[in-house]
Amino acid sequence: MTRRLWFERRFALGLPPEAFPEIVERVRGTPARLDERIALVPAARYTGRQGDAWSIQENVGHLLDLEPLWAGRLDDLLEGVQELRPADLQNRKTHAAGHDEKTMAQLLAGFRAAREPVVRRLEELPRTDLSRTALHPRLRQPMSIVDLFFFVAEHDDHHLAAISALNRSYARP
């Protein structure tokens, strides 16, 4: 099965505030879905690479690496900036982090610990804040808080799918 490349994806933004509860549930559920997915992967496959693609463990570490970006972009929107802070499109943090030298348990616990405060903040937001917008620096589209966390949920799912694909590829003869 061919997967879409993240940087080639386009997103239908402008989601209504009514979509927010379901999006928050997706974002809240990623640590549990990640735990479940990793439980199905033999530990011997965690750090194996296929070509230049990240290992399963590096995909998990990348999710952890981006949590400060998502929290910072939420700050940006609440502060009323014109343009959201940019991401490092070369993913230098993930490439330099040495995630394969860590334990999977450390990465999973770190991701859960980083995601929980963001979810708590989202749950406490007044509805009036959900329509605040700022320009996404790469997509060049206005993005609301609802759109931002839809984007986060899609990014989470992208890496969960990458982990599943890697695990399946090792299972093939």
Side-chain angles (χ1 to χ4, degrees):
M1 183 177 343
T2 304
R3 293 182 54 245
R4 297 181 288 178
L5 297 175
W6 180 254
F7 289 123
E8 292 179 6
R9 289 193 56 191
R10 297 292 167 254
F11 298 87
L13 302 179
L15 295 167
E18 294 77 23
F20 196 58
E22 291 86 5
I23 292 167
V24 172
E25 287 305 316
R26 282 181 69 191
V27 171
R28 176 199 328 279
T30 300
R33 290 187 303 132
L34 188 56
D35 287 346
E36 181 181 282
R37 175 67 44 227
I38 295 303
L40 300 173
V41 177
R45 296 180 185 169
Y46 290 170
T47 59
R49 293 182 115 202
Q50 301 213 339
D52 292 333
W54 287 334
S55 68
I56 290 171
Q57 201 152 299
E58 287 169 317
N59 273 276
V60 174
H62 176 68
L63 291 172
L64 171 57
D65 292 340
L66 287 187
E67 285 303 294
L69 176 66
W70 308 141
R73 284 182 172 174
L74 176 58
D75 291 340
D76 291 345
L77 283 157
L78 293 173
E79 292 166 8
V81 302
Q82 296 295 311
E83 186 168 323
L84 298 172
R85 64 190 67 195
D88 170 15
L89 301 181
Q90 284 73 46
N91 293 305
R92 287 181 285 258
K93 184 174 183 178
T94 300
H95 290 291
H99 291 306
D100 282 342
E101 284 77 50
K102 299 172 184 166
T103 68
M104 183 63 81
Q106 288 173 313
L107 294 172
L108 292 170
F111 178 65
R112 183 176 292 278
R115 179 60 59 96
E116 285 174 357
V118 172
V119 170
R120 275 196 308 276
R121 287 180 67 195
L122 296 176
E123 291 173 331
E124 295 169 358
L125 284 176
R127 181 181 166 86
T128 54
D129 283 344
L130 298 180
S131 59
R132 293 173 179 260
T133 63
L135 191 66
H136 186 280
R138 178 176 62 85
L139 300 175
R140 307 310 300 165
Q141 293 177 258
M143 186 175 267
S144 69
I145 291 173
V146 179
D147 295 326
L148 171 61
F149 285 93
F150 169 73
F151 185 85
V152 170
E154 289 291 302
H155 183 265
D156 290 349
D157 288 350
H158 175 81
H159 286 283
L160 284 164
I163 290 166
S164 295
L166 279 165
N167 189 38
R168 280 192 307 275
S169 73
Y170 289 120
R172 290 189 200 113

